[in-house]
Amino acid sequence: MGQDGPVTEPRTAPRLIATDLDGTLLCTAGTVSDRTAAALAAAEAAGIQVVFVTGRPPRWMQQVSPHIGGHGVAICSNGGAIVDVRRGELVECFPMSAGTTLAVVEALRTKLPGTAFAFEYADGWAREPGYEVLMWGDDTVRAIGPAEELLADGGPVRGLFKLLAKHPDLDPDTFLAEARTAAGHLAEITRSAPIPLLEISASGVTKASTLARWCAEHGIDRSEVVAFGDMPNDLEMLAWAGTAYAVANAHPQVLAAVPLHTVSNEQDGVAAVLEGLLPR
């Protein structure tokens, strides 16, 4: 099924909702609709935790702060960081070593010439000169320089939890496939943007791994989790959760992998499912 609404619903209300943001929960403009805001609030009021699990870095989370729920925490950077959004504090991160990061950079430069890199870390972000900035400006960048300089001992990038790789003209899916061939043994490589932009985390660090850690710490079994997503960076989380939905606008790979579908993000697909899950 897919385009017309959810296929089925869990028989009992879940204990936790794990949802991606861009392309899933948020409208295309990056906003939370009134219907979705009401559904999130109703879930929290019913005792269901809502955790945002996103590829966004911590610095892009203030926009959704009013909807974060009582715990105030989001899983950011594809599992690389856990953030207290309201306080603007990094709770925990799962960093890549400088040596591994440089090995990934070298592997991608060799196989995919023209690739440029940016670096998300605890104190902000940095980029190479060739990394073109397209979203929300360049005003918060902490440093600009070659990867070797930024990652050197004494350099600005410490505690790196996400490496970004951008190519000027490759097809996004081809870029992902080629990058995994070149460096997939070194790190987790995925994508969520419509452009040739890769998101790279330490080996074993995904949305699923950090969500599983969060749930274990709160006594929540995976069978009690309902997850929502739309892009390849959501696949591990959707496979891990007891129940998972792809929104109708999801990447074809996600639609093929996830049996349950809801309507698109523009049609409030997450809210459509939540309204059916909440106790009546």
Side-chain angles (χ1 to χ4, degrees):
M1 195 172 168
Q3 297 289 330
D4 299 326
V7 178
T8 63
E9 298 172 358
R11 295 180 180 178
T12 59
R15 292 184 61 195
L16 186 139
I17 301 296
T19 180
D20 172 54
L21 291 176
D22 297 285
T24 300
L25 184 81
L26 304 183
C27 300
T28 301
T31 57
V32 179
S33 73
D34 290 343
R35 180 185 179 188
T36 295
L40 295 176
E44 290 279 351
I48 303 170
Q49 289 193 40
V50 178
V51 176
F52 298 150
V53 189
T54 178
R56 287 187 177 208
R59 60 193 172 89
W60 287 0
M61 291 301 295
Q62 290 306 314
Q63 181 182 19
V64 295
S65 179
H67 311 286
I68 199 71
H71 51 79
V73 169
I75 295 170
C76 296
S77 298
N78 293 329
I82 301 175
V83 180
D84 186 319
V85 176
R86 291 206 184 93
R87 295 185 179 183
E89 294 178 357
L90 184 65
V91 176
E92 190 172 11
C93 69
F94 307 97
M96 294 176 66
S97 70
T100 298
T101 304
L102 286 171
V104 172
V105 167
E106 180 60 30
L108 296 189
R109 280 180 181 163
T110 299
K111 187 173 182 65
L112 301 160
T115 302
F117 300 90
F119 311 86
E120 296 281 357
Y121 55 104
D123 293 330
W125 77 289
R127 66 175 177 85
E128 291 192 309
Y131 186 95
E132 183 183 2
V133 179
L134 298 176
M135 292 186 67
W136 293 324
D138 201 18
D139 55 326
T140 60
V141 69
R142 296 294 180 91
I144 300 173
E148 291 79 4
E149 179 181 303
L150 296 172
L151 293 163
D153 289 344
V157 178
R158 300 179 183 179
L160 176 76
F161 47 75
K162 187 161 84 166
L163 172 67
L164 297 165
K166 185 181 290 185
H167 197 276
D169 50 32
L170 279 176
D171 170 77
D173 286 325
T174 300
F175 190 26
L176 176 59
E178 293 288 329
R180 284 176 168 171
T181 298
H185 60 292
L186 298 170
E188 302 295 334
I189 306 176
T190 189
R191 60 171 288 255
S192 64
I195 61 174
L197 173 64
L198 303 180
E199 302 163 50
I200 304 168
S201 305
S203 184
V205 175
T206 65
K207 286 187 175 187
S209 68
T210 304
L211 177 61
R213 184 186 183 97
W214 168 269
C215 288
E217 290 173 352
H218 291 78
I220 298 172
D221 188 79
R222 62 190 290 184
S223 65
E224 300 172 302
V225 176
V226 175
F228 298 86
D230 74 309
M231 288 295 282
N233 66 326
D234 295 314
L235 284 168
E236 292 89 353
M237 175 178 73
L238 297 173
W240 178 84
T243 304
Y245 290 89
V247 287
N249 54 287
H251 187 283
Q253 185 180 357
V254 177
L255 291 171
V258 180
L260 304 184
H261 299 170
T262 184
V263 292
S264 73
N265 63 324
E266 290 292 347
Q267 296 173 292
D268 299 310
V270 174
V273 175
L274 292 188
E275 290 160 358
L277 297 179
L278 296 176
R280 294 177 174 84

